[in-house]
Amino acid sequence: LQFLYFIDFSVQTVFKRNMGIQSAAIITLSILTNSVKGYVYPQYSNEWRQFAFRNDSNLRDPTTVVLDRNTSTWHIYCTRTPLAHGTAGYGGSVWHFSTNATMFDDPTAVWTDEGEVIPPSGKGNFDSAGTFTPGVVVDCEDGGGCKWYLFYGGVANENSSHTENVGLATSDNPWGPFTRRESPVFNRTDANSKWCGTAAARVDEIKPSLISGQRVIFVKSVCTNFSALPIAFIPENGWGPPYKLRPPVISLNGTCENKGFEEPTIFTGPDNLLHLTGHYHGNCGSEDKYAHYLNPSQTIDGWVQVADFGSSNNSVFMEPLPVPLNYDGVFGGKISDTWIDFSANRGGSPNLHLMMSKPVWVQK
C-alpha cells in the first residue's frame, strides 16, 4: 500500500462576531485521494438471492447476521412496515428472522419469520409511533451466558421530517423478550449533535465496532440541512451505557456536495486494511455512490479518503452491509464473502425484501 500525501495549506480567517475578536487562522490539510494505491473496493454483483419476504409488508434496514452459539441458530433483525405505510420506515417496528442452517448463506437455508420484537411503545414516548433501523450485537462470557443488545431508532410521529432518537433493548437470548430502556441512549439533542451547530434532526444506524481492541459505537448523526456524519462513542459498560462521546472521525469536506454519508460501516478487507464505507447523502446518494476511507494507523482516527465507488448501474442495491466473521455483530474485523441488503422489484414484486449478494473485490 502506498500513501502519497499532497499538502494544500489553506488559511481560513474565523471571526467570533459576538465577541468582536479574531481567532487564530486554521490550517487545513487536503489529501489527493487518487494518490493512494494498492487497496481494494467492493463492486456489488448483480447476482442476488432473496431470503426474507412478506406479502403484506416491506422489509428494510436489516442488521448484519448474528450467530447464537448456544442454539447454533442465525438471527437477523430489520424494519417491517405495512404496505399501506409505503416503503419508508416511519411507523414501522423491529422484526426478527432466524434459521438453523449450518451456515447463514446456505442457498437451501429456510429463514423463519419470528415476528415483532420491538413494537412502538405507545403515546408520549420517544418511540411511540415507530421503531426501525435496528443494530444488534451479542456479548458472551466464557461460561456461555450471553447478553443481546438491540439498538433501534424511535420516532414519536410518522412525518417524513421526523426527529429520531436511538433506543436500546436487551435480552439473554435472540428471541427475547427484550427489555427496553425508557429513555433513548443516543439523543439528537445531546452533545453528539454539536457539530451541526444546532440539535440534529435525528440519530440512528448503530454500528458496534472493535478497532485495535477498543470498543466503539458509531452512530449516524443527521443535521437539519440533511448533512450526515458518523459520530463515535466509547461504551463504558459492555456495549451498554454510559457512553463517552468523541469528536466526528470524518469531515464533510470532500464528500458529495459536502453532505456526508449514512450507514457508516467499518471492516477489514481482503487487503488487510481497515475500511470505512458509507452511502452518500445528496445527489450522489440517488446514484448509489459510496464514500470510502482507509485507516493505515488502525485507530479510531486517522482516516484517509480514497476514491468513491458505486454507480447508478448498481441501483438494485440499497445499503449493502457486510457480515463480520466473528458473527457477533461487531464490525471492524474480517468479513464474510456474503453481504446483506434489501431491495424491491425482484421476482415481479414491488415489496421491499431482504437479500444476499457477494461483491467482487476490485484492485485499485
Side-chain angles (χ1 to χ4, degrees), residues 7 23 30 50 68 91 106 131-132 139 155 164 198 210 222 234 255 261 265 277-278 292 325 335 349:
I7 302 177
S23 73
S30 300
Q50 173 184 304
D68 179 22
D106 185 335
T131 56
F132 53 100
D139 200 7
V155 292
E164 180 183 356
T198 59
L210 190 67
V222 184
I234 307 300
T255 63
F261 54 89
T265 305
T277 62
H292 193 188
L325 278 181
I335 56 176
S349 172

Side-chain angles (χ1 to χ4, degrees), residues 248-316:
V249 298
I250 299 294
S251 169
L252 288 176
N253 295 334
T255 63
C256 176
E257 299 181 339
N258 290 333
K259 288 293 187 181
F261 54 89
E262 59 185 354
E263 281 294 332
T265 305
I266 293 177
F267 59 89
T268 300
D271 51 12
N272 292 317
L273 297 174
L274 193 62
H275 295 246
L276 168 60
T277 62
H279 192 204
Y280 269 137
H281 272 195
N283 289 332
C284 287
S286 63
E287 298 177 356
D288 287 331
K289 292 288 188 180
Y290 296 85
H292 193 188
Y293 298 79
L294 299 177
N295 195 324
S297 63
Q298 299 283 313
T299 60
I300 299 174
D301 301 300
W303 295 97
V304 177
Q305 187 174 12
V306 294
D308 303 338
F309 64 93
S311 72
S312 57
N313 293 330
N314 297 323
S315 59
V316 296

Side-chain angles (χ1 to χ4, degrees), residues 33-103:
T33 60
N34 62 9
S35 65
V36 182
K37 307 294 182 182
Y39 67 93
V40 299
Y41 67 91
Q43 178 175 296
Y44 301 127
S45 169
N46 285 327
E47 297 182 4
W48 60 272
R49 180 168 57 84
Q50 173 184 304
F51 71 95
F53 180 86
R54 284 181 60 100
N55 288 320
D56 64 345
S57 312
N58 286 301
L59 303 177
R60 54 172 297 156
D61 312 319
T63 66
T64 190
V65 180
V66 178
L67 174 65
D68 179 22
R69 301 186 186 278
N70 292 326
T71 61
S72 299
T73 53
W74 303 91
H75 301 266
I76 195 166
Y77 304 87
C78 67
T79 304
R80 179 258 176 183
T81 57
L83 292 181
H85 286 235
T87 58
Y90 327 129
S93 62
V94 178
W95 220 256
H96 177 204
F97 291 86
S98 74
T99 183
N100 59 4
T102 302
M103 283 300 297

Side-chain angles (χ1 to χ4, degrees), residues 233-244:
F233 293 84
I234 307 300
E236 299 181 0
N237 181 24
W239 290 105
Y243 303 106
K244 182 180 179 180

Side-chain angles (χ1 to χ4, degrees), residues 154-235:
V155 292
N157 64 74
E158 297 181 31
N159 192 297
S160 61
S161 60
H162 65 279
T163 56
E164 180 183 356
N165 298 307
V166 174
L168 172 62
T170 57
S171 176
D172 60 4
N173 73 83
W175 289 273
F178 282 87
T179 302
R180 74 177 91 194
R181 298 175 63 91
E182 293 184 1
S183 301
V185 290
F186 300 111
N187 193 307
R188 69 181 187 87
T189 61
D190 288 343
N192 61 67
S193 65
K194 283 186 176 180
W195 72 275
C196 290
T198 59
R202 56 186 181 271
V203 287
D204 64 353
E205 295 178 354
I206 306 301
K207 293 294 189 305
S209 305
L210 190 67
I211 301 178
S212 296
Q214 174 69 68
R215 291 188 176 193
V216 189
I217 294 180
F218 288 94
V219 181
K220 182 190 75 175
S221 176
V222 184
C223 302
T224 54
N225 67 356
F226 202 55
S227 57
L229 283 179
I231 307 299
F233 293 84
I234 307 300

